[in-house]
Amino acid sequence: MSIKRYGVGGSTGTGGQRLPFAKAVEAGGWLYVSGQTPMKDGEVVEGGIIEQSRLAIQNCVDIMESAGYTLEDVVHVKVFLTDARYFQSFNKVFSEFFADHPPARVCCVADLVVDCKVEVDLTCYNAERAK
């Protein structure tokens, strides 16, 4: 089984710092997408939980799709919110992406190392890619 890493060396975080991890790693039909925040061009996009949730999820989807996976391949999502009051609003956005193929999920409240409201990561599986 080979391991393929996506987005190594070219990723930057807030303030332009180089990020020391891959955007995603693929092995044996599994794709693990690193936690994504509502960032564009290395900076957090301002906005409420709806806008930030949509961008964090979309950032995951963009990485996943660039690796050749689809929303149907998502089997698990981890969500970190900075405030429990964001839960219902986040679920509305989550449903926009995953209503047709809901994955398993965990959602918790945590302090984030980036000044934003939400971070999302996901895990995909595609049996065709396991060969």
Side-chain angles (χ1 to χ4, degrees):
M1 171 177 67
S2 65
I3 296 174
K4 184 171 182 180
R5 290 170 172 80
Y6 297 88
V8 176
S11 298
T12 56
T14 54
Q17 80 170 351
R18 278 186 142 333
L19 298 177
F21 51 86
K23 287 184 179 181
V25 175
E26 180 180 29
W30 292 91
L31 181 75
Y32 301 90
V33 176
S34 292
Q36 298 298 304
T37 57
M39 281 191 175
K40 280 188 180 176
D41 303 320
E43 295 299 326
V44 173
V45 173
E46 294 299 318
I49 188 61
I50 298 286
E51 296 82 11
Q52 287 201 1
S53 297
R54 194 170 284 125
L55 183 56
I57 295 171
Q58 188 61 56
N59 286 343
C60 286
V61 170
D62 291 347
I63 293 166
M64 171 193 80
E65 288 178 344
S66 72
Y69 289 77
T70 69
L71 285 173
E72 292 180 31
D73 297 323
V74 178
V75 295
H76 191 261
V77 177
K78 288 187 228 68
V79 180
F80 303 92
L81 301 172
T82 58
D83 191 319
R85 293 174 290 185
Y86 298 152
F87 186 70
Q88 287 183 327
S89 296
F90 179 84
N91 278 340
K92 289 178 187 175
V93 175
F94 188 85
S95 293
E96 293 173 13
F97 287 88
F98 298 107
D100 293 335
H101 306 282
R105 190 184 90 182
V106 63
C107 185
C108 63
V109 174
D111 290 330
L112 300 177
V113 297
V114 176
D115 188 19
C116 62
K117 296 171 175 50
V118 60
E119 183 170 350
V120 178
D121 80 17
L122 52 83
T123 303
C124 301
Y125 179 74
N126 183 305
E128 294 297 313
R129 297 181 68 95
K131 298 175 182 178

